Amino acid sequence: MRKLVRIGAQALLYVVLLGAVLWTVPAVYYGDLPQFWRVPAAVAAGALLLGALMLRGWRMRLAVFGPAFFLILVWWFALEPSNTRDWQPDVAILPRAKINGDLITLRNIRNCEYTSETQYTVNHYDKTVRLSQLKAVDLFLVYWGSPLIAHTMLSFQFGDDDFVCVSIETRKTVDEEYSALRGFFRQYELICVLADERDLVRLRTNFRNEDVYLYRLAFNPDVAGPVFLQYLRQINELYARPQWYNALISNCTTNIRGHARPYTSDARIDWRMLVNGFVDEMAYERGMLDTRLPFTELKRISHINARARAFGDDPDFSLRLRDGLPTPGVSAF
């Protein structure tokens, strides 16, 4: 039995160390080395760690692997994000907020005018809202490829017809395109896009042809207000000090959970927060959506692409998107 336990432990250690090797190769390749050195450096780092695993005896293997991997980690964590790169125009200006009791002034709300996905005129505006007039929080779910993965956005409604949408995204430079793989390896800074729904929603429905769903969340003002303020704190922090985006631990969905966790009675980890194409199903099960309808029916009527295209130029665009959508009552969220 003792021998079997030892063999099992060694096998598990091999798996962990091989995982470290598989992480190291793309981490070095996507680091900040000059382009010419990326492939040789990634190959050399992977070969060094694999070579260490082939040495005789665990003491020798760990004696070589441990310090080599530690030095790679030191270099990796020394990579610093920046707010001063050559940004794409739609993310060049960061939003910020001034909080003065109940009055909140939102700066640099984006409202791009699109003629195509890549051709647009960037506009920004400021406005002041009252936290006491926050009356609804809604969830947008955007499917841009696989049905397993979605982009999530929260929209906050003040009064009867004033909406502000927040989309947590990658902040890309003029020569960058989004890559799901690169999103794991400190390639993009994090940005909280504070925008008009005419911008964030129409971009996805009318120009990217992505499937967008709008869910009205159960509303509790004692929770929604602090969550909104948490968003604003992150917006101001990013304005002062940049942070890395990470496709696994700091993305559009994990940040929502992070903001809501101190104020909700149910913020437990769920696999659907990672495979977030099913996060609406999770929200339904936790009573955050209207449960009077079966989930499949709720999802069907929450698909808003046709409405977004029909009412794209309507001054009541946000209200039109919500026509006929069921609104749940108060919950812990």
Side-chain angles (χ1 to χ4, degrees), residues 49-241:
L49 296 181
L50 281 175
L53 296 181
M54 296 178 184
L55 296 174
R56 180 172 297 180
W58 275 105
R59 289 185 179 179
M60 182 62 70
R61 293 168 188 159
L62 295 177
V64 176
F65 189 100
F69 187 62
F70 175 77
L71 290 175
I72 292 171
L73 287 179
V74 169
W75 164 78
W76 169 256
F77 284 109
L79 298 176
E80 293 187 356
S82 173
N83 271 341
T84 57
R85 303 190 196 278
D86 188 11
W87 304 111
Q88 294 183 10
D90 58 332
V91 293
I93 298 177
L94 289 174
R96 53 197 173 100
K98 181 180 180 180
I99 304 169
N100 184 16
D102 188 48
L103 285 178
I104 300 173
T105 301
L106 305 173
R107 307 284 189 193
N108 301 326
I109 300 172
R110 198 183 77 187
N111 189 22
C112 292
E113 297 178 9
Y114 296 92
T115 55
S116 72
E117 179 183 354
T118 57
Q119 296 185 351
Y120 47 83
T121 301
V122 181
N123 300 305
H124 293 89
Y125 63 91
D126 303 342
K127 72 176 168 184
T128 300
V129 298
R130 287 188 178 272
L131 189 62
S132 58
Q133 293 180 348
L134 179 60
K135 64 178 294 184
V137 183
D138 298 324
L139 171 69
F140 286 98
L141 211 59
V142 182
Y143 293 89
W144 45 270
S146 167
L148 302 178
I149 302 297
H151 177 61
T152 53
M153 304 185 295
L154 282 189
S155 186
F156 297 86
Q157 179 181 351
F158 296 87
D160 294 331
D161 58 359
D162 199 356
F163 297 85
V164 178
C165 195
V166 185
S167 177
I168 298 175
E169 304 178 4
T170 57
R171 193 181 188 194
K172 298 183 289 293
T173 61
V174 293
D175 59 344
E176 284 182 325
E177 294 183 359
Y178 180 72
S179 161
L181 179 60
R182 291 176 63 187
F184 291 96
F185 296 102
R186 295 195 166 199
Q187 287 293 287
Y188 308 110
E189 278 79 5
L190 186 72
I191 183 173
C192 290
V193 178
L194 188 66
D196 199 296
E197 288 184 355
R198 293 177 182 84
D199 178 327
L200 287 174
V201 176
R202 288 195 301 173
L203 168 62
R204 290 161 169 84
T205 56
N206 297 20
F207 297 99
R208 292 181 179 172
N209 295 314
E210 299 167 342
D211 286 311
V212 181
Y213 295 80
L214 170 57
Y215 296 102
R216 311 226 68 182
L217 295 174
F219 182 72
N220 183 335
D222 295 330
V223 174
V227 169
F228 182 64
L229 291 176
Q230 283 285 88
Y231 267 96
L232 299 187
R233 292 187 189 101
Q234 184 181 29
I235 284 171
N236 286 339
E237 287 172 3
L238 291 174
Y239 186 87
R241 186 176 65 256

Side-chain angles (χ1 to χ4, degrees), residues 34-56:
Q35 187 68 38
F36 175 81
W37 291 105
R38 290 188 175 188
V39 171
V43 171
L48 172 62
L49 296 181
L50 281 175
L53 296 181
M54 296 178 184
L55 296 174
R56 180 172 297 180

Side-chain angles (χ1 to χ4, degrees), residues 217-219 253 256-258 260-261 264-274 278-291 295 298 328-333:
L217 295 174
F219 182 72
T253 305
I256 292 177
R257 176 182 178 269
R261 182 174 55 186
T264 178
S265 61
D266 189 357
R268 65 186 184 276
I269 290 291
D270 190 292
W271 64 272
R272 289 167 291 192
M273 292 179 182
L274 300 178
F278 301 101
V279 76
D280 51 353
E281 180 183 75
M282 182 197 76
Y284 181 87
E285 292 175 2
R286 296 188 182 185
M288 298 163 65
L289 308 182
D290 195 312
T291 57
F295 174 71
L298 177 64
V330 175
S331 82
F333 181 74

